[in-house]
Amino acid sequence: MNPYALSVLISSLAMGTIVTLSSSHWILAWIGLEINTLAMIPLMTKNPHPRAIEAATKYFLTQAAASALILFSSTLNAFFLGEWTIFTPTHPASAIFLSIAIAMKLGVAPFHFWLPEVLQGSTLQTGLILSTWQKLAPITLLLQLSQSTNLNLLLTLGLLSMIMGGWGGINQTQIRKGLAFSSIAHLGWMMVILKISPQLALLNFFFYTLLTLTLFLTFISLNTKNMYELSTSWSKTPTLAALSMLSLLSLSGLPPLTGFMPKWLIAHEMIKQDMTAFALVILLSTLLSLFFYLRLTYSLSLTLAPNLSSSYTSWFFPPKNMLAPLMIFSILLLPISPMITCMF
C-alpha cells in the first residue's frame, strides 16, 4: 500500500477513536465509530485476496448494523428523556439497545460470529488492530454507560462469551481464529464486571490489550499462521519460544503470571457482591480456554521439529523491537498488583 494512503488511514483510525473518546454527545460518538469503521475497510482489503474481501464485507455489514442500532437507541433516548448527552442517566430501553449494539461492535457472544471469520481473512497486522485498537472506542462507551446498563443482560452476555469463546477455541488449529475466540472469552470477563466495578473492567481491558499485543507481535515475528508451523519455533528462536509460552499461560490467567491479576480481582469482587456461585461458574469456564492455550504452548515450546545439527539459531529479537519489554510486562506484573489497582 502507498505510504501516504497508509498514513491517512492510520490517522483516520486515531482520529475516529479520539472523537469517540472525547465526545459527550451520542451523535459525535457515532461519527467517531463510523470513521473508525470506514478507515478499517481499506486496511483489510490492501491484499486483494477473496478471503480478505469476504472478511471486509462481513466486517462492514456487522459494524453498519451496530451503528444503525446505536443511532436508533440514542434517538429513542432523546425521545423519552430529551437528552443526547452520554453522561446523563439513560432510559432503560435505550440502555438495553445500546448495550446490544456495542456488544455487536465488540464481538461479544451471541453477536460474535463475525469476529473469527474476519480475523481469519485478515493479515496478522490487521488482526492486531482489530483485536486491540478497534475495541478501545466501544469499551469506552460501555464504561460511560455502565451505571445505566441492565445487570442481568451484562451477566448473561458475559457468561455466554466466556463459554462460547472457550468452546469455539478448543478445536482450532488456525492461530488467528484462536486469538479471536480468546478475545471473545476475555470480553466476557469485562462484561460481567462492567456494572459492578467499571474500574476493574478497564483494568481487564488494559491487561487484555497488553497480552494480545505481545502475542500478535510474537506471531508476526515468527511468521506463523497455524499451529503446525509453530513446531519449528524452538529450533529457530528458543528464548522467544520460552517467553511466548509464558505469555500464553499468562493470557489464560494462570498464577503467578500477569494475566492472573484481573481474573483474581474480578472473582474477589463477585464474591464480595454475594455472587459466589456465579464467580465459580466463570472460573470454571476458563478451563475451556486453558485447553486451547495449552495446545498452543505444546506446539510452540514442547515440540521439536526434525532439524540438522548445523542449523543456525536466530537471534532473540530483531533490533529496535518493542517485543522484549512487552514480554516482561505480560509475565511479571503480578507482584506490583497493589500499585496497579491504585492507579485504576
Side-chain angles (χ1 to χ4, degrees), residues 142-144 146-147 190 193-204 344:
L142 262 184
L143 288 170
Q144 293 172 343
S146 60
Q147 297 311 311
M190 298 175 214
I193 201 63
L194 184 71
K195 188 173 178 67
I196 299 169
S197 176
Q199 294 83 6
L200 277 183
L202 182 60
L203 178 70
N204 198 343
F344 285 86

Side-chain angles (χ1 to χ4, degrees), residues 146-337:
S146 60
Q147 297 311 311
S148 301
T149 50
N150 187 295
L151 179 60
N152 292 328
L153 175 66
L154 292 183
L155 292 178
T156 305
L157 291 177
L159 184 59
L160 270 175
S161 293
M162 291 181 207
I163 294 172
M164 296 301 294
W167 192 266
I170 281 180
N171 205 30
Q172 292 299 326
T173 57
Q174 298 295 321
I175 288 173
R176 286 167 293 183
K177 271 194 175 181
L179 288 173
F181 283 110
S182 166
S183 171
I184 294 164
H186 279 83
L187 285 169
W189 282 89
M190 298 175 214
M191 297 296 284
V192 296
I193 201 63
L194 184 71
K195 188 173 178 67
I196 299 169
S197 176
Q199 294 83 6
L200 277 183
L202 182 60
L203 178 70
N204 198 343
F205 178 71
F206 169 73
F207 280 115
Y208 158 76
T209 304
L210 171 67
L211 294 167
T212 304
L213 178 63
T214 305
L215 285 175
F216 264 103
L217 289 178
T218 300
F219 294 132
I220 290 169
S221 176
L222 294 173
N223 195 23
T224 53
K225 295 180 180 62
N226 62 59
M227 204 174 288
Y228 306 113
E229 294 175 357
L230 289 176
S231 58
T232 60
S233 302
W234 187 266
S235 306
K236 295 176 183 176
T237 53
T239 314
L240 178 59
L243 291 178
S244 302
M245 175 187 71
L246 292 175
S247 297
L248 279 166
L249 295 178
S250 180
L251 190 62
S252 69
L254 285 183
L257 302 170
T258 301
F260 174 64
M261 187 198 309
K263 291 182 171 59
W264 171 35
L265 294 173
I266 289 172
H268 180 64
E269 186 65 31
M270 288 278 182
I271 293 169
K272 279 169 58 178
Q273 299 291 333
D274 292 329
M275 301 172 68
T276 309
F278 190 84
L280 180 62
V281 170
I282 62 175
L283 286 172
L284 288 175
S285 71
T286 57
L287 295 176
L288 294 169
S289 301
L290 181 61
F291 181 80
F292 162 70
Y293 294 125
L294 287 177
R295 282 187 73 196
L296 270 179
T297 300
Y298 180 78
S299 299
L300 183 65
S301 303
L302 302 177
T303 303
L304 284 177
N307 64 301
L308 299 174
S309 58
S310 59
S311 63
Y312 292 102
T313 301
S314 303
W315 185 240
F316 178 25
F317 294 123
K320 298 181 182 177
N321 201 328
M322 61 183 294
L323 199 47
L326 286 175
M327 283 281 186
I328 295 169
F329 294 147
S330 64
I331 295 170
L332 299 175
L333 287 185
L334 186 63
I336 60 169
S337 54

